[in-house]
Amino acid sequence: MRAMTVIPGKADSASVGQIAEPPEADGTMLVEGVLAGICGTDLELVSGEFGRDGADRLVLGHESLGQVLDAPPGSGFSNGDLVAGIVRRPDPEPCPACARGEWDFCRNGRYTERGIKGHDGYGAERWRVDPYFAVRVPAELGRLGVLIEPASILTKAWEQVDRVGGRSWYEPKHVLVTGAGPIGLLAALIAAQRGYAVHVLDRSDEGPKPQLVRDLGGTFVTNLEDVRVEPDVVIEATGAGPVVVESAKLLAPAGVMCLTGIAPGPSSIDVQMDALVRQLVIRNAALLGSVNAAKRHYADAVDVLLAADRDWLDRLITRTVPLSEWPNALTKEPGDIKVVVDLRA
């Protein structure tokens, strides 16, 4: 059986690996792999900068779409259903957060993640999953179901923004999203669905991104100086230190900034942090980080995608690479937004 494999901690080890059939220990439901999305985490794993867990091989693929081959009785699934797999699993001796189903807030770090940390992913011709960790993909979404996992990152981020914003009177009107990759565009989609005025920053105005933003009714900018409003909310998806700092300075009083991006490597920035801290403190502004998602966020992601224009979502998936050539998906091409691997090809 073919799979997207890498040797953890070894750079440039991505290959089309031959692996055994998925073990029943992975779950009672057998699934045929349909698509796997590629994101920055996969690039980090392939570069060897991340994922050194002692394993001699890891199957990648945490953004998943599959079709059920064998659903156990009473699972709530049927053969032929489209499904996406949840990524994180709680630790063996659950911390208080994991014990409550909030494994995305694990306190002791002993969680595992399919395709990322300590557990093979969904980037294979067949995979198994416990039905509890599977999400039904409505048939009308079809291949767009591969966007459920990245969308869950944003439904969680918006949930956290709402919780922090709700500490006082909270009625956001203007949203700034920094970075127009898949995460940034999905953040903008949710903001537009909520009726907010959306500004999206990206360093380049070439390719499909500007039109995708405009089709949401948003404003696309390549420079923060062109943002003429005080954003009540900033969703930061670049991970670039200078962008984080300059965006934080724009926040409205009591504004909330959610960091969802991580830069590929450490960098230093020249900024007067004391001045930035003063600005945040005197305006009651808040910065928070958000990563991964709990089960409910996947369900919320399905609702977001169902409410979106299908053509708009389809334009997010800009390239499909066959499993037989999947390492080609790791090289960015002009106009790429979301690249997916066809696990049947």
Side-chain angles (χ1 to χ4, degrees), residues 115-127:
I116 300 175
K117 178 180 181 284
H119 200 156
D120 281 339
Y122 303 113
E125 291 180 293
R126 288 174 294 283
W127 39 271

Side-chain angles (χ1 to χ4, degrees), residues 53-332:
D53 59 4
D56 58 2
R57 185 222 64 209
L58 178 69
V59 176
L60 298 184
H62 60 280
E63 298 181 2
S64 65
L65 177 66
Q67 188 165 32
V68 177
L69 294 173
D70 186 13
S75 66
F77 293 91
S78 301
N79 294 356
D81 285 348
L82 292 175
V83 293
I86 291 174
V87 176
R88 188 171 285 195
R89 302 290 184 274
D91 51 43
E93 298 179 6
C95 71
C98 286
R100 297 177 58 198
E102 305 280 356
W103 52 71
D104 50 321
F105 283 100
C106 181
R107 296 296 187 100
N108 59 27
R110 297 195 202 110
Y111 59 84
T112 57
E113 292 178 320
R114 296 289 298 258
I116 300 175
K117 178 180 181 284
H119 200 156
D120 281 339
Y122 303 113
E125 291 180 293
R126 288 174 294 283
W127 39 271
R128 284 186 174 273
V129 66
D130 186 307
Y132 180 80
F133 292 103
V135 180
R136 178 178 285 101
V137 177
E140 55 264 45
L141 283 181
R143 74 169 191 151
L144 301 175
V146 76
L147 299 174
I148 287 175
E149 192 280 336
S152 75
I153 303 299
L154 277 312
T155 55
K156 183 221 177 147
W158 273 107
E159 175 192 84
Q160 297 305 306
V161 167
D162 289 343
R163 288 182 177 181
V164 174
R167 65 202 162 133
S168 65
W169 177 83
Y170 180 63
E171 192 175 299
K173 297 183 182 302
H174 298 283
V175 173
L176 170 63
V177 177
T178 54
I183 294 297
L185 288 169
L186 289 168
L189 169 67
I190 296 173
Q193 288 180 343
R194 289 169 164 225
Y196 305 150
V198 185
H199 285 71
V200 179
L201 168 78
D202 201 81
R203 61 185 177 183
S204 174
D205 59 2
E206 297 181 357
K209 295 177 181 179
Q211 191 59 48
L212 283 164
V213 173
R214 295 183 189 114
D215 288 345
L216 291 175
T219 301
F220 184 91
V221 298
T222 56
N223 194 311
L224 284 173
E225 294 178 358
D226 294 328
V227 179
R228 305 299 184 186
V229 299
E230 281 189 322
D232 304 293
V233 175
V234 175
I235 306 292
E236 210 297 307
T238 71
V243 177
V244 172
V245 170
E246 293 306 311
S247 300
K249 291 179 180 178
L250 297 177
L251 276 172
V256 181
M257 181 174 187
C258 183
L259 310 179
T260 65
I262 300 176
S267 62
S268 60
I269 58 174
D270 182 16
V271 61
Q272 290 184 312
M273 287 303 297
D274 54 348
L276 176 62
V277 169
R278 168 178 284 274
Q279 194 170 20
L280 293 173
V281 170
I282 63 175
R283 289 183 299 157
N284 283 299
L287 274 68
L288 67 132
S290 181
V291 69
N292 207 269
K295 185 172 181 175
R296 68 180 178 279
H297 304 124
Y298 285 77
D300 292 341
V302 171
D303 291 340
V304 164
L305 297 181
L306 284 174
D309 179 79
R310 300 291 190 278
D311 176 70
W312 189 90
L313 290 175
D314 203 58
R315 285 185 285 152
L316 292 186
I317 302 177
T318 49
R319 187 159 54 100
T320 303
V321 178
L323 174 59
S324 60
E325 303 171 9
W326 87 265
N328 293 337
L330 301 167
T331 302
K332 189 174 180 62

